[in-house]
Amino acid sequence: MTALLLLPLMLPFALPALARRALDRLALVAALWAITACAVVLAGCSLAALGAFVLIGLLEMPLFAALGELVHPLHTASGLVVLPAAATSVGVLAVCGWTLVRSVLHQTRAFRAARTEAGRGPAAGDLCVVDSPHPDAYALPGRPHRIVVTTAMLRSLDGPEREALFAHERAHNEGGHHFLAAAELAGHCHPALRSVRATVRLAAERAADEAAAASVGDRRLTARAIARAALAGQAARSERPGFAAAATTGPVPQRVQALLAAPWTAHRTGRRIAALLLAGTTAVSCLAAVAGAADFHHRVEVAQGDERP
């Protein structure tokens, strides 16, 4: 049981490398969804494993064993292993809970402030212009979706470049890329998942880059617009939510280089291997968490005298 519950805690360490491989092998949109889903599932499995360790440790204590109506000893690993693991799990869960709540509150405040600011400026369709000396532009979710751009950013780009920038931000809204918030929250649940957030953001930006290039029909124009917008926005102090996708975020030189190069198509075998690795890691983590929880439940019922060993 203990070994099974350790797997969901160890497998997330493999995801950063697998995510980078998937981004290189899979179609951008497929990689974006697959990496994000894998991170969320692995985060949930790791939290479930930590919770199971806490319950095991509690039932090793006479008070909680009596509350659980255990009439026989609970057969688990040695108390020298179980109790420290339970104490560590309590600390980790407390830290995860605190950082999660703090992140949700911060992002909620930033989202409300951004929606309020967008509502004050003039709007043309889904485009909202904010009077600000700081160049910035980003896609803002909600009903309706908005593309927020500052007056300073508009002054930094010419007409065609503005259209490419708007097409990029519009692609974020149309593609539902604001589930970046899910990857952000998953990063608070396991330390290995923090670096995955950068890969998810890069996948979202690359997908929007390609959509913008297809919309305006010019890859070089799109690359130039992104590069100039990023240079102009270096000194910007935006209070936008962290999940609000923007063309100026992520490794811009890498994105510009990809746009200037010919579109690359992964080999079918490479796509399958990358997809299988992601799916396999997620499946093993889920199976280990479920099997460990089922074994723990069985041992509790045996200790309660409801079942035979």
Side-chain angles (χ1 to χ4, degrees), residues 1 17 20 27 34-35 71 94 104 107 133 178 188 202 239 245 271:
M1 174 178 62
R20 290 190 294 270
I35 296 170
V71 296
V104 169
Q107 296 296 334
H178 304 296
H188 292 289
L202 175 58
E239 295 298 328
R271 293 199 301 267

Side-chain angles (χ1 to χ4, degrees), residues 95-119:
V95 172
C96 289
W98 166 248
T99 57
L100 272 172
V101 171
R102 187 175 60 178
S103 177
V104 169
L105 292 176
H106 173 73
Q107 296 296 334
T108 300
R109 287 195 297 266
F111 172 72
R112 290 176 177 173
R115 291 292 298 187
T116 300
E117 185 179 38

Side-chain angles (χ1 to χ4, degrees), residues 40-173:
V40 170
V41 173
L42 290 180
C45 291
S46 66
L47 291 180
L50 290 172
F53 277 121
V54 172
L55 290 176
I56 294 170
L58 289 175
L59 292 177
E60 287 286 341
M61 303 172 66
L63 175 61
F64 290 97
L67 291 175
E69 299 180 352
L70 303 189
V71 296
H72 303 295
L74 182 66
H75 292 289
T76 60
S78 170
L80 296 177
V81 175
V82 171
L83 293 180
T88 303
S89 298
V90 169
V92 172
L93 286 173
V95 172
C96 289
W98 166 248
T99 57
L100 272 172
V101 171
R102 187 175 60 178
S103 177
V104 169
L105 292 176
H106 173 73
Q107 296 296 334
T108 300
R109 287 195 297 266
F111 172 72
R112 290 176 177 173
R115 291 292 298 187
T116 300
E117 185 179 38
R120 292 172 181 166
D126 61 348
L127 179 64
C128 295
V129 179
V130 175
D131 187 13
S132 171
H134 303 296
D136 198 12
Y138 55 93
L140 189 63
R143 293 186 178 180
H145 291 323
R146 295 293 189 190
I147 297 172
V148 181
V149 61
T150 63
T151 52
M153 179 62 80
L154 292 177
R155 288 192 296 267
S156 301
L157 306 177
D158 61 26
E161 290 168 349
R162 293 175 186 172
E163 292 303 319
L165 179 66
F166 298 157
H168 175 99
E169 305 302 351
R170 193 167 285 116
H172 280 310
N173 281 332

